[in-house]
Amino acid sequence: MRAVKMAPAGGAARGPWVLLAQLALLARAALALTERYPALSLLQQERHRQRHGPAGEWADQYSAECDSSFLHFHESDCDIGGSSSCESMLSLNTEKILSQAKLLAEQKRFPFATDNDNTNEELAIAYVLIGNGLYDEAIRHFSTMLQEEPELVSAIYGRGIAYGKKGLHDMKNAELALFELSRVISLEPDHPEVFEQRAEILSPLGRISEALSDLTKAIQLQPSARLYRHRGTLYFISEDYATAHDDFQHSLELNKNQPIAMLYKGLTFFHRGLLKEAIESFKEALKQKADFIDAYKSLGQAYRELGNFDAATENFQKALLLNQNHVQTLQLKGMMLYHHGSLDEALKNFKRCLQLEPYNEVCQYMKGLSHVAMGQFYEGIKAQTKVMLNDPLPGQKASPEYLKVKYLREYSRYLHAHLDTPLTEYNTDIDLPGNFKDHWAKNLPFLIENYEEQPGLQPHIKDVLFQNFESYKPDVQELICVADHLGSMMQYETPGFLPNKRIHRAMGLATLEVMQAVQRTWANSKVRMNGKTRLMQWRDMFDIAVKWRRIADPDQPVLWLDQMPARSLSRGFNNHINLIRGQVINMRYLEYFEKILHFIKDRILVYHGANNPKGLLEVREALEKVHKVEDLLPIMKFNSKTRDGFTVNTKVPSLKDQGKEYDGFTITITGDKVGNILFSVETQTTEERTQLYHAEIDALYKDLTAKGKILILSAELGEVDAVCNLILSLVYYFYNLMPLSRGSSVIAYSVIMGALMASGKEVSGKIPKGKLVDFEAMTAPGSEAFSKIARSWMNLKSISPSYKSLPSVSETFPTLRTMIEVLNTDSSHCLKKTIVVV
């Protein structure tokens, strides 16, 4: 075998061959991550980089490799196959190619250079051909050399690179590239760059475990910042965020000036729900590279997840100041603005996004949604139809937007048809077909047998027009401002909950309408609901809040589960929440992990006491060492029935039938090691369970109505307390039932606030940081405990007399059109007004 030697250490021998494939790898990684996290797209890099001499974050890492003129080459679109144009181009460049090859050979700046100058010149010519994009010509040149010397390592390696550069979309190229690189490894097994190169071919093919194995071998041979960063990227794609973090940390210890590695480190925190740590990493990346757009974008998204709208806006804006055409930032900022209730501003971002990228499904869908939410149905459905035309290719996974868009279009048509119909004369849950609701709530593909589409838009029904705040009468203006204040009292101060001023107004108006309706009921007045005049029932009270929550965001199916088709109810409808999935922690519910863990430990003791009394002491001792969910894994092995996981059911005590208990929610833990755990909770809404809870709520509502009527005649403190406890007890069972597909938490809280106001009490305290009202109810041992907890922060005060002078919400906004108008109107005037609420 010919004696060979490597070019000098420090990366000079790597030249373009590894870098070009690495850029392809990162593009592939970006695509994979975009599919997994469409709202983030945080790994996409700029596509049009220089082939060498790159700017920005790559410059520090590759500057040592870019000091040769050979490296500044350009790709050709020419496919050499005998065409005269290609031949003429090659002949014109011959002198340049030979000149570059001579310099390259003299400096031995290519892999596996030999001790023979003539051989090196021939090899250099082929590598220059690769650099100029003439891959087939390079392959022929290497093949000619290999006919004479079959084990010429540099030629084998170069031919493998050329096959890879031809395009991995052709499996034949990929297989030939891998074959050649494997031959090199068999001949020269101690060179890390070959393992890295093979990993860069394997990873875009989806063979991640093999690529990881190669990178691990390369690191064992010669650790480097680049190799750790490369392997960390693959672990990230595999959702092994903890291991990816360790690799990025190792990479940064070897070379701290790597803004892109610091960004990735931040992303490993972000995807595990460790938002504060992510923010620190993103800020550190910006210290290293002040104009790092992806770091600003990531920082904005992290602040959004924390619920810090102002900080998120500031960082998205900084990214756009650096590049006003940065599509991902426009998309993310637009989505944040939509979920903040700033629909006009959101639309501007989506429209700009589509100017730059007309086929962006996310921006197109969100544009259509924004228009519909504002009552602009013609523009909304036009945008929705464009999304529907983007049929996925055979074997291609449909995007979330494509899956949702037909439901949105059908619901948009329904809303448009009912814009001017009095809200008291129809019922959305009854009108929409059962299978449509079932599929929509479960986010299933729109494959509904015998479905009859909603009628198209009717020309005589006009879109909703913008209503100026000043055009409302002063008492209605006061009503709007009071609603904004009441809605803000429902805001969760917990990561994952972005303040939404549109939701605030909608649920504030719901609160006031509930107050007015309950007061009328206690005064023996009837209500008009679903086309009938009758005494109000408890569901009517919640339906007031449901209608406002629905119209505030038409993207979300807020539906009564007991109105689903009988077949769906018999199977059970699950409300499922992942608390931990793999390494991803749901930060929204972090406050409740300890309480749930304590409950699980108690149930484990009960289980082993009944089924494993001899081992109870050992289990008890083991449980004393359990401080987090992962610590339960060894205990699962104590019993063969729980080896693969276990479920624990909570119980909800009845007030109506003392000693009786209902099924609460189910806690599930499965997994075999840290980082591979599923820790989740779910409620299963079956017909039988629903009937049991309904009977409980019916009895409480009957008592509440009776007590309320007494309260109207007497303002004794004891009666007020009794009414308050009945309201909170009723909602306690509502929360544990979880009877809606979405929005149960804020809907129930607006009912609490409205009913309490009807009793003469107003909630003046905000929900404490980290607390979720629905989880407080679900984890409380009973209704009395929940009432005590809720009252501890509500800080109930006597209601202001000014509420009595407010106009009727149901009469002021009797149709969908008037509801949308008031949600659209600017609320900034309220900040200048003095709201009388005390």
Side-chain angles (χ1 to χ4, degrees):
M1 184 173 73
R2 177 184 298 275
V4 297
K5 64 179 181 180
M6 295 298 296
R14 291 181 48 79
W17 36 89
V18 174
L19 176 58
L20 296 178
Q22 187 168 28
L23 291 176
L25 166 70
L26 288 171
R28 173 70 182 226
L31 177 60
L33 286 167
T34 302
E35 291 170 350
R36 285 185 172 87
Y37 307 102
L40 295 174
S41 307
L42 290 174
L43 286 184
Q44 287 193 350
Q45 303 300 316
E46 301 298 327
R47 293 176 180 271
H48 303 294
R49 296 183 184 275
Q50 292 292 332
R51 287 301 175 188
H52 234 62
E57 62 270 17
W58 298 103
D60 298 325
Q61 295 154 35
Y62 294 104
S63 58
E65 302 168 7
C66 301
D67 56 356
S68 167
S69 60
F70 158 72
L71 299 175
H72 300 284
F73 49 76
H74 302 280
E75 285 195 8
S76 165
D77 294 327
C78 181
D79 180 15
I80 298 194
S83 71
S84 57
S85 60
C86 288
E87 288 174 358
S88 61
M89 191 204 77
L90 183 58
S91 63
L92 286 172
N93 286 333
T94 298
E95 184 176 344
K96 176 183 174 184
I97 289 171
L98 290 174
S99 173
Q100 290 177 339
K102 183 177 180 182
L103 179 61
L104 190 68
E106 288 173 354
Q107 297 179 350
K108 296 186 177 181
R109 294 288 304 276
F110 58 87
F112 299 99
T114 74
D115 292 326
N116 186 302
D117 292 341
N118 292 332
T119 301
N120 284 343
E121 287 185 12
E122 290 296 317
L123 288 167
I125 289 171
Y127 278 112
V128 172
L129 289 170
I130 293 176
N132 281 275
L134 305 174
Y135 309 126
D136 285 321
E137 188 66 17
I139 290 167
R140 282 194 286 271
H141 197 89
F142 282 130
S143 298
T144 300
M145 297 185 73
L146 287 167
Q147 286 176 358
E148 297 179 10
E149 297 185 60
E151 293 188 343
L152 182 56
V153 176
S154 185
I156 300 171
Y157 185 80
R159 191 163 67 176
I161 300 302
Y163 279 125
K165 285 294 297 171
K166 280 188 70 176
L168 300 182
H169 57 276
D170 185 336
M171 282 304 297
K172 184 178 179 181
N173 289 335
E175 289 169 0
L176 288 168
L178 290 173
F179 175 77
E180 300 288 25
L181 292 172
S182 298
R183 284 183 65 198
V184 174
I185 288 171
S186 67
L187 294 168
E188 294 287 338
D190 296 326
H191 295 284
E193 68 275 16
V194 188
F195 286 97
E196 183 180 12
Q197 180 65 71
R198 190 168 69 174
E200 291 168 348
I201 301 293
L202 288 165
S203 53
L205 300 177
R207 295 163 65 174
I208 302 297
S209 61
E210 296 172 73
L212 285 169
S213 178
D214 273 359
L215 288 170
T216 300
K217 180 64 176 176
I219 288 170
Q220 290 170 352
L221 289 169
Q222 187 178 338
S224 71
R226 182 189 62 254
L227 285 171
Y228 277 118
R229 185 185 66 247
H230 189 168
R231 191 174 69 174
T233 303
L234 294 190
Y235 277 125
F236 189 101
I237 294 171
S238 305
E239 298 186 25
D240 187 350
Y241 303 119
T243 308
H245 167 271
D246 291 344
D247 271 357
F248 292 132
Q249 185 61 36
H250 285 313
S251 181
L252 288 163
E253 287 169 1
L254 292 170
N255 178 4
K256 65 179 181 180
N257 188 26
Q258 294 186 88
I260 195 165
M262 187 61 73
L263 171 70
Y264 291 175
K265 178 184 171 182
L267 291 174
T268 67
F269 287 128
F270 182 94
H271 287 286
R272 286 181 287 166
L274 304 174
L275 299 176
K276 292 180 180 178
E277 291 85 348
I279 286 170
E280 289 307 310
S281 293
F282 298 148
K283 287 181 176 178
E284 189 62 36
L286 286 165
K287 287 179 183 177
Q288 296 183 14
K289 179 172 165 52
D291 60 348
F292 197 176
I293 293 176
D294 280 338
Y296 279 121
K297 177 186 66 178
S298 304
L299 195 53
Q301 190 68 358
Y303 277 122
R304 179 212 158 156
E305 288 299 315
L306 273 179
N308 189 333
F309 176 77
D310 291 338
T313 301
E314 178 185 349
N315 283 282
F316 284 141
Q317 198 56 39
K318 286 179 178 177
L320 291 171
L321 284 173
L322 291 168
N323 180 2
Q324 63 180 347
N325 297 331
H326 200 257
V327 170
Q328 294 164 31
T329 302
L330 288 166
Q331 176 182 311
L332 290 171
K333 185 184 176 189
M335 292 181 73
M336 181 190 70
L337 287 165
Y338 177 88
H339 291 291
H340 182 250
S342 306
L343 272 56
D344 266 333
E345 291 300 311
L347 261 176
K348 293 175 185 176
N349 283 269
F350 297 135
K351 288 178 178 178
R352 179 60 181 155
C353 167
L354 290 167
Q355 287 175 350
L356 298 166
E357 204 171 274
Y359 297 102
N360 186 306
E361 281 193 20
V362 175
C363 290
Q364 193 69 259
Y365 179 89
M366 292 303 300
K367 178 191 173 192
L369 174 60
S370 300
H371 277 303
V372 166
M374 296 172 69
Q376 301 163 2
F377 291 92
Y378 289 90
E379 284 297 320
I381 288 179
K382 187 190 299 183
Q384 294 162 20
T385 303
K386 289 181 180 179
V387 177
M388 290 174 63
L389 295 174
N390 291 334
D391 293 312
L393 299 171
Q396 182 183 10
K397 185 179 179 182
S399 69
E401 290 70 35
Y402 183 83
L403 289 174
K404 293 192 298 181
V405 71
K406 193 157 188 180
Y407 295 107
L408 178 60
R409 189 183 72 164
E410 290 300 288
Y411 187 48
S412 301
R413 288 172 167 177
Y414 174 83
L415 292 175
H416 182 262
H418 291 80
L419 267 179
D420 300 307
T421 306
L423 292 157
T424 56
E425 303 306 310
Y426 65 95
N427 185 312
T428 301
D429 283 281
I430 293 173
D431 293 346
L432 293 176
N435 285 335
F436 172 88
K437 293 187 299 178
D438 183 58
H439 280 61
W440 188 20
K442 294 176 179 174
N443 199 28
L444 299 173
F446 198 99
L447 301 171
I448 305 172
E449 291 183 10
N450 304 318
Y451 177 75
E452 186 175 338
E453 289 189 351
Q454 295 285 331
L457 299 187
Q458 304 301 308
H460 69 279
I461 303 176
K462 303 303 181 184
D463 274 351
V464 176
L465 299 176
F466 180 76
Q467 190 89 346
N468 284 318
F469 183 81
E470 292 85 356
S471 67
Y472 288 108
K473 294 178 180 179
D475 60 343
V476 177
Q477 292 182 19
E478 186 69 17
L479 180 71
I480 294 169
C481 293
V482 170
D484 286 353
H485 167 74
L486 292 173
S488 70
M489 301 295 288
M490 305 179 204
Q491 179 64 42
Y492 284 155
E493 298 294 332
T494 303
F497 292 95
L498 185 74
N500 187 324
K501 59 186 181 182
R502 193 176 182 88
I503 297 289
H504 288 173
R505 177 171 297 174
M507 303 322 294
L509 288 166
T511 297
L512 292 168
E513 188 173 347
V514 167
M515 176 192 75
Q516 293 167 349
V518 171
Q519 285 175 335
R520 290 196 302 271
T521 298
W522 290 349
N524 289 318
S525 296
K526 294 183 179 180
V527 295
R528 181 78 177 171
M529 301 291 288
N530 305 329
K532 297 178 182 178
T533 302
R534 52 177 170 76
L535 291 172
M536 187 169 73
Q537 302 301 310
W538 68 264
R539 189 192 288 263
D540 301 326
M541 184 169 61
F542 283 93
D543 259 333
I544 292 169
V546 166
K547 75 174 181 183
W548 283 103
R549 179 63 182 80
R550 276 179 182 153
I551 203 61
D553 186 359
D555 189 41
Q556 298 179 354
V558 182
L559 302 163
W560 289 96
L561 298 182
D562 66 342
Q563 299 295 310
M564 294 292 181
R567 185 175 62 176
S568 178
L569 280 177
S570 64
R571 294 175 179 173
F573 193 103
N574 293 351
N575 274 307
H576 185 93
I577 300 170
N578 285 328
L579 303 179
I580 299 176
R581 183 183 65 84
Q583 298 174 9
V584 181
I585 299 171
N586 192 332
M587 296 298 289
R588 289 186 172 191
Y589 304 97
L590 195 59
E591 177 89 8
Y592 297 92
F593 280 23
E594 185 175 346
K595 186 184 285 189
I596 294 173
L597 188 60
H598 184 73
F599 175 79
I600 292 170
K601 289 161 70 173
D602 285 346
R603 301 311 300 172
I604 289 174
L605 283 174
V606 171
Y607 174 82
H608 281 276
N611 298 281
N612 180 29
K614 292 182 179 179
L616 184 59
L617 180 60
E618 183 185 3
V619 172
R620 190 184 300 277
E621 290 175 351
L623 285 172
E624 289 176 358
K625 301 174 183 177
V626 171
H627 303 292
K628 54 186 183 294
V629 176
E630 295 90 328
D631 297 339
L632 289 170
L633 293 177
I635 297 173
M636 289 165 55
K637 313 301 180 188
F638 283 17
N639 188 293
S640 60
K641 293 182 179 179
T642 63
R643 191 175 303 278
D644 298 321
F646 60 86
T647 60
V648 178
N649 296 311
T650 63
K651 294 296 179 182
V652 177
S654 169
L655 281 177
K656 184 170 68 74
D657 300 313
Q658 292 297 320
K660 189 175 181 180
E661 292 182 323
Y662 308 130
D663 287 336
F665 62 91
T666 300
I667 306 164
T668 301
I669 298 179
T670 60
D672 55 4
K673 61 181 179 180
V674 175
N676 186 33
I677 293 176
L678 178 63
F679 176 36
S680 64
V681 298
E682 68 178 22
T683 56
Q684 189 172 37
T685 305
T686 61
E687 189 170 9
E688 180 184 3
R689 182 175 180 273
T690 299
Q691 288 174 355
L692 291 170
Y693 274 88
H694 279 190
E696 195 78 29
I697 296 172
D698 285 339
L700 284 165
Y701 183 75
K702 184 178 178 181
D703 288 348
L704 174 62
T705 304
K707 293 282 187 185
K709 289 179 178 180
I710 295 172
L711 188 62
I712 291 291
L713 303 173
S714 168
E716 291 185 17
L717 184 61
E719 295 294 345
V720 174
D721 265 356
V723 167
C724 289
N725 287 332
L726 282 168
I727 292 167
L728 291 168
S729 294
L730 188 152
V731 173
Y732 165 78
Y733 288 101
F734 181 92
Y735 275 132
N736 277 283
L737 173 60
M738 281 289 165
L740 295 167
S741 58
R742 296 290 296 269
S744 292
S745 185
V746 71
I747 285 167
Y749 202 65
S750 64
V751 168
I752 290 176
M753 290 179 64
L756 285 172
M757 289 167 69
S759 75
K761 291 293 181 180
E762 179 186 358
V763 174
S764 65
K766 289 199 170 187
I767 301 166
K769 190 173 183 179
K771 298 288 186 183
L772 309 177
V773 186
D774 50 352
F775 257 63
E776 287 297 325
M778 293 165 65
T779 57
S783 59
E784 186 177 340
F786 170 67
S787 296
K788 185 176 180 180
I789 293 166
R791 292 182 71 158
S792 71
W793 77 66
M794 285 182 170
N795 191 21
L796 296 179
K797 298 194 301 187
S798 295
I799 193 171
S800 167
S802 63
Y803 282 113
K804 293 181 180 179
S805 64
L806 293 174
S808 165
V809 175
S810 61
E811 292 175 7
T812 306
F813 311 112
T815 63
L816 278 176
R817 183 184 297 278
T818 54
M819 290 174 71
I820 295 172
E821 284 173 350
V822 73
L823 294 182
N824 287 348
T825 196
D826 181 22
S827 63
S828 59
H829 304 77
C830 294
L831 300 175
K832 304 170 186 176
K833 294 170 71 73
T834 301
I835 304 172
V836 182
V837 294
V838 294

